[in-house]
Amino acid sequence: MVKLGVLLLLGTLSETLTFPEQEKNPNYWRRQAQETLRNALQLQNLNTNIAKNVIMFLGDGMGVSTVTATRILKGQLSGQPGEETELEMDKFPFVALSKTYNTNAQVPDSAGTATAYLCGVKANEGTVGVNAAAVRGQCNTTKGNEVDSILKWAKQAGKSAGVVTTTRINHATPSAAYAHCVNRDWYSDLEMPKEAVDQGCKDIAWQLMHNVPNIEVIMGGGRKYMFPKNTSDVEYPNDDKSSGTRLDGLNLTQIWLDQKPNKKAARYVWNREQLLSVKPEAVDHLLGLFEPVDMPYELERNTTMDPSLPEMVEMAIKILGKNPMGFFLLVEGGRIDHGHHEGKAKQALHEAVQMDVAIGVSGNMTSVEDTLTVVTADHSHVFTFGGYTYRGNSIFGLAPAPSDLDLKPFTSILYGNGPGYKLVNGQRENVSSVDFSQSNYLAQSAVPLRMETHGGEDVAVFAKGPMAHLLHGVHEQNYIPHVMAYASCIGHNQDHCTSSRGNDGARTSLILLSVLLPIFSLQLFY
C-alpha cells in the first residue's frame, strides 16, 4: 500500500508539471492557427505533375491510436511533453480514411488488405495477390484469379522496384507485391500441403524469385525459407530453428544471382556491415536477408548485425533512384503489428517511431515535385490509451487516479483483448507490483487471448507529392493503388498522361520514354 500511495502521489504531482510557457499566451495559438491557414490556402494550387517515383510506407497495424501514441513517444524521446510533436507523416498535406474490411471479414487480416492496397481489388482474408473468387487454402482456386500489383505495373513501365520490410520478406504485406497465393502461410514448400504442391501451386519464397523478374531491391528477414532443408544458417549455425526449410532442395539466393545478366552489379548481403559497404553507384540489384525469420524489434536490434529500417530505406532509394524512369518502393514497418499482437505496446510504438524516422529519410532524399509518398496502415488494433492523463505524462505511465471500483492503479495504455489479462487471487493484478516500464511488459487487457487481435475501424492515409489530393475523404482501401498508378502514369488508365500536366516538354518526353523503354529495356539496362 505504501508503494501504491507513492505512485498515486506522483500522479497527483504530475498535474502541476509545467507545460511550455508560450502556450499560456493566446496569441501563440492564434499565430499557429493563422500559419496553418496560410499553408492550407497554398494547397489550392494542386500538384498535378507526373509522379516519377512512388513510395508507399505501410505501418502494419498502425491504427489512429497508434499514430497518436507514437507522436507522443517521439516527442518524449527528445525531451518534450510529446503531445505537440509533429511526426513526419503529420506534415503531409493530404489525409484520408481507408475502410479496411476484407471481402469475407469485418475485421481484416494483413493478407487480404495487402491485396487491396497493392493490387487494387478487395480479397478474402489469408490470401495474397488473388481476387475474392480464390478460397484460402484451396490451391485449385488460384489459376485464373491472379491479380497483379502496382509493383509489377511499375516494372512493366520500365521503372525500378523495391520491397523493404522488418518482417520476413515473404510475409503477408510484401508478398502481395509479387505473389499469387491462396494461403499467406505458405512461406516455403515445407509449409504447403502435399496436395497443393502436386496441383502445381508454388510457395511464396519461390514466387519472389520468379514472378516479377529482377526486382531491384529486396530487404528484410526470411533467410531460412531460401535454403534447402537442414542447411545451417550463416549467422546461427547451431540453431536448428534457423536452418533452411526447403524440401525442393533449391538455394533461392543462388537462383536470384544466376538470374542477373550482370552479376558484378548484383549483391546478396546478410548483415548490416555488408549492407553499409554496398556502393550504390556500382550495384543495380540488392538482396538483403538479415534474419532467418523476422528482424528483431528495434529495442532488441543487434546494431552490428541488423540494419535499421531507416538505413535500409536510404540504401534502397540510392539504388532505385539511378533509374531515369523512376521507381516504386514499398516500405513496411511490419513489427508494429507484432508488438501489438504480443501485448507489448512499448515494442510496437518504438517500431512506429523508426518507421517515421525512415519517412523523414525518404523525404530528405526525394522531392514532392516528382515523388508521391503515401503512408498508411493495413488495419488497426484493439489498442488504446486514456485515463485522463496529464500533459507530458509518460505514454507508458499510469493514469493519475486509480480505478474507483477495484482501487488499483492502471496504465494509460490498455488493450481490448490479449495476453495481458491476469488475475491475482481472483482480482485484477496490481500494476504497482510490476515494472510496467520495461520493454516487454504486457499491457493489461479486458479479455484473455494468447494473441491480441486486429481492430476493425478505418485507418489514416497520409499523402504528399503529385496528385496526392486524390486521397481525401473516406475511401475503400483498394482505391489507394489506383491513385498511385494514376499519378505515375502506369497501370490501366493512362489516357490522361498525354494531356497537359505541368512542364509539357518534360512530361511528353517522360511519357514517350515510358512507352519505349520496356521494349528496349535489355539494351538500355544490360
Side-chain angles (χ1 to χ4, degrees), residues 358-491:
I359 293 168
V361 169
S362 168
N364 290 334
M365 298 177 70
T366 57
S367 167
V368 292
E369 294 303 311
D370 68 357
T371 302
L372 171 63
T373 305
V374 176
V375 179
T376 189
D378 46 357
H379 54 74
S380 184
H381 276 268
V382 292
F383 162 87
T384 187
F385 70 99
Y388 300 113
T389 48
Y390 301 118
R391 179 74 180 274
N393 195 75
S394 167
I395 191 61
F396 304 115
L398 294 173
S403 165
D404 57 2
L405 293 179
D406 68 10
L407 305 181
K408 295 185 177 71
F410 61 96
T411 55
S412 174
I413 286 176
L414 298 167
Y415 286 98
N417 56 51
Y421 179 93
K422 186 176 182 181
L423 297 178
V424 177
N425 296 324
Q427 297 184 347
R428 182 173 68 90
E429 182 180 44
N430 190 329
V431 295
S432 66
S433 66
V434 299
D435 181 6
F436 53 80
S437 66
Q438 59 108 348
S439 299
N440 290 313
Y441 169 71
L442 302 182
Q444 290 186 334
S445 65
V447 175
L449 287 177
R450 289 187 177 89
M451 297 289 282
E452 176 263 7
T453 72
H454 296 167
E457 71 271 23
D458 299 348
V459 297
V461 185
F462 305 85
K464 69 174 181 178
M467 308 304 285
H469 56 278
L470 297 178
L471 289 162
H472 67 287
V474 181
H475 302 294
E476 294 286 1
Q477 194 169 46
N478 66 292
Y479 171 70
I480 297 171
H482 292 275
V483 171
M484 295 190 292
Y486 183 93
S488 54
C489 288
I490 62 176

Side-chain angles (χ1 to χ4, degrees), residues 14 89 97 171 309 437 477 497 507 518:
S14 70
M89 66 186 90
L97 289 176
H171 209 253
L309 184 60
S437 66
Q477 194 169 46
C497 300
R507 306 298 166 223

Side-chain angles (χ1 to χ4, degrees), residues 1 7 11-12 17 29 31 50 74 81 89 119 155 181 188 201 252-253 257 272 317 321 328 398 400 433 448 456:
M1 287 302 294
L7 286 169
T12 303
L17 292 176
W29 298 106
R31 284 193 300 270
I50 292 175
K74 191 174 183 182
M89 66 186 90
C119 304
K155 287 291 290 180
C181 192
S188 71
C201 280
L252 293 181
T253 60
L257 185 61
R272 179 174 182 265
I317 293 176
F328 171 79
L398 294 173
S433 66

Side-chain angles (χ1 to χ4, degrees), residues 234-369:
V234 63
E235 186 176 0
Y236 310 104
N238 298 319
D239 179 15
D240 291 342
K241 292 183 179 180
S242 298
S243 297
T245 63
R246 302 201 62 81
L247 300 178
D248 56 16
L250 296 177
N251 178 340
L252 293 181
T253 60
Q254 187 61 49
I255 288 175
W256 175 85
L257 185 61
D258 291 342
Q259 291 171 341
K260 306 298 174 288
N262 183 2
K263 293 179 178 53
K264 292 182 179 179
R267 284 285 303 276
Y268 165 58
V269 298
W270 60 269
N271 62 53
R272 179 174 182 265
E273 183 180 356
Q274 291 176 347
L275 175 66
L276 297 184
S277 71
V278 169
K279 294 180 172 56
E281 66 275 8
V283 173
D284 297 328
H285 293 88
L286 176 66
L287 173 62
L289 300 172
F290 303 106
E291 285 291 328
V293 191
D294 301 317
M295 296 183 69
Y297 288 121
E298 175 62 23
L299 291 178
E300 300 171 356
R301 180 170 64 91
N302 182 328
T303 56
T304 300
M305 300 301 293
D306 293 309
S308 67
L309 184 60
E311 288 170 339
M312 291 192 289
V313 167
E314 180 177 0
M315 182 61 72
I317 293 176
K318 285 179 178 178
I319 293 174
L320 298 174
K322 296 189 300 179
N323 187 342
M325 293 299 298
F327 61 84
F328 171 79
L329 173 62
L330 171 65
V331 180
E332 182 197 22
R335 302 221 65 198
I336 301 169
D337 178 72
H338 294 176
H340 281 322
H341 278 309
E342 294 173 2
K344 300 174 181 177
K346 193 166 190 176
Q347 299 284 13
L349 296 186
H350 276 271
E351 291 298 303
V353 167
Q354 280 298 296
M355 195 181 86
D356 196 64
V357 172
I359 293 168
V361 169
S362 168
N364 290 334
M365 298 177 70
T366 57
S367 167
V368 292
E369 294 303 311

